[in-house]
Amino acid sequence: MRFRLALTAAAVSALSSAAAAQDMFIHGGTIHTGVDGAPPAEVVVVHAGRIAWVGSERDAPAVISTMPRLDLKGATLFPGFTDGHAHLNGIGQRELTLNLEGSASVAEAMQRLSDWAEANPDGPIIGRGWIETHWPEGRFLTRQDLDVAAPGRIVLLGRADGHAVVASSAALQAAGIDADTVAPDGGEILKDAEGRPTGLLVDAAEQLVAGLMPREDEATRRRAYDAGFRVYARYGWTGIHYMSAPWADVPLLERMAEEGAAPIRVYNSVTPDGAQALFASGPRSVADGRVITRAVKFYADGALGSRGAALFEPYADRPDTTGLMQMGDGIVPVYEAALRSGIQAATHAIGDRGNASVAGWYAQAMEAVPASQRPNGADVRWRIEHAQILRPSDYGYFENLPIVASMQPSHAIGDLHFAPARLGDSRLGGAYAWHSLTDRGVVVVGGSDAPVERGDPAIEFYAAVGRRDLSGFQGPDWRPNEAVDRATALKMFTLWPAWASFREDELGTVEVGKRADFTVFDVDLMTVPIPDIPKAKAVYTIVDGVVVYRAED
């Protein structure tokens, strides 16, 4: 069976032109177009950064004989993978600061801290990535742990989810935090039996130590972005939806794009301090769309692991709390202003109460600002980031408003080790409900939330179709029916992120006229046994027909 997308007159003309740096004839491997019902193709022809022809090698136009060739050598090409939710600055900072990701115990994490302190004897120690759910000690880090590993030092170590930080005694003292300190609204200061701070600061309470963070000049911030770009191009991502992009960093990212220093696409959802300025300016785009700023990221609640996610009923393993809301219905006028400005809203919500609240506020804003008063009409494509714990009765919001569900499959394969204890079995029915939502026609954008998670597209794809941790463990009744098929998983990381960023006409599938963004893996994610999917490695990352990453032979 052969498949060939239409070769338009414009494409023929393009192929007849002199070959440019962004011209390419790609062959020698399986090519998944991402087009519904289409079999794999054999070749792709790229001209001037766009796809000019797709089909069988036998039918390829004769002009390809003059074009630069890229032989896949048996590798598999996909439409460019886009991480639909990640933090580019944090990904880069993970490369430049103390990384506690993968620590197997309190002891190992503290050994890493001790080693870092010895190698970096001056200044505060900043790190991130620890998570206690797998640790044999079964507890959060404390200031006493930090004090032993790095005596007398100001130490701030963020939990992997970014919703809690543990501070050393020196840091607490420098910030003026003691037994009498009252947590700000939306935050919690954990205290021991004697009422003394343990060092763990949750959600809004993290701001109490924000002044201890080293001041970063533009050169430092640029180094972090350079590092983040390198990591993501190496993983195979051709784009990132950058959540909580600091408004002050938007001009820096735009300059980097204009200088050719942004190898992958960036779709910015900025911090709320930039909301009014973005409403006034409208969407921003530079370097032929390499960096686009069109959304504002808000926070409704916290995270499940640190018990900050807002629930309707108390936590099963801590009945004294239902989590922490970070905002209330006062946000509705801000949402209304976003609608009138053509700016997308992207709101973090994890708990069922957080999600229901945001969906209700979205509905209020959309009722107050009819489509006739919106630049985008009814097509606003507003998002809830995470949409992690839902009441099935609230699925209708996503289906009918509609709301884009921006979800991170790897959260489910990490959280399966503690979510049942936090939620109890009854609430798991609406947890990480990818299949239930896509079955209703909801657009589910796949992301990683890196540096909360590793940020590897192969792991995310595996989590979506396998719904098991990397060892193969799933646990009792972890709702295996919520896994998705591979065709759906592919859309979650290709076409649907394109749609959620208003670029489905240019990105997301391998079709004539679209931009030549491709991710090439050394295995075929669509056919390899599911346990082998996480082993996949990017061979090429191609953006606008330019190879921005090539694996060493």
Side-chain angles (χ1 to χ4, degrees), residues 155 185 367 385 390 474:
V155 183
D185 289 343
E367 182 177 358
E385 305 301 318
L390 303 174
Q474 187 173 67

Side-chain angles (χ1 to χ4, degrees), residues 102-170:
S103 300
S105 63
V106 170
E108 181 182 337
M110 292 303 93
Q111 184 59 56
R112 292 191 196 184
L113 170 58
S114 181
D115 294 343
W116 182 275
E118 183 177 354
N120 300 271
D122 300 317
I125 300 174
I126 309 300
R128 180 172 172 171
W130 63 272
I131 186 165
E132 78 293 340
T133 52
H134 288 75
W135 287 352
E137 296 90 347
R139 63 173 176 83
F140 293 133
L141 291 175
T142 68
R143 60 184 172 85
Q144 290 90 346
D145 296 322
L146 277 54
D147 295 346
V148 171
R153 300 287 294 275
I154 290 177
V155 183
L156 300 172
L157 302 180
R159 193 175 183 271
D161 60 14
H163 287 267
V165 63
V166 62
S168 63
S169 294

Side-chain angles (χ1 to χ4, degrees), residues 7 11-19 23-25 45-47 52-53 59-69:
L7 185 60
V12 171
S13 175
L15 285 170
S16 300
S17 303
D23 290 358
M24 190 181 301
F25 171 58
V45 177
V46 176
H47 174 71
W53 194 84
D59 295 334
V63 72
I64 64 172
S65 62
T66 64
M67 304 184 78
R69 290 180 172 242

Side-chain angles (χ1 to χ4, degrees), residues 252-324:
L252 170 59
L253 288 164
E254 291 175 339
R255 286 197 302 275
M256 292 178 72
E258 290 166 341
E259 295 166 5
I264 68 173
R265 302 189 189 283
V266 181
Y267 183 77
N268 285 322
S269 185
V270 302
T271 47
D273 61 300
Q276 296 305 320
L278 188 58
F279 295 165
S281 72
R284 299 163 59 128
S285 177
V286 301
D288 194 25
R290 184 58 59 97
V291 172
I292 294 175
T293 304
R294 188 174 179 160
V296 181
K297 167 76 177 302
F298 302 95
Y299 279 88
D301 65 354
L304 186 68
S306 51
R307 299 187 184 87
L311 304 176
F312 281 107
E313 300 297 330
Y315 276 80
D317 59 355
R318 194 179 145 192
D320 64 316
T321 184
T322 58
L324 301 166

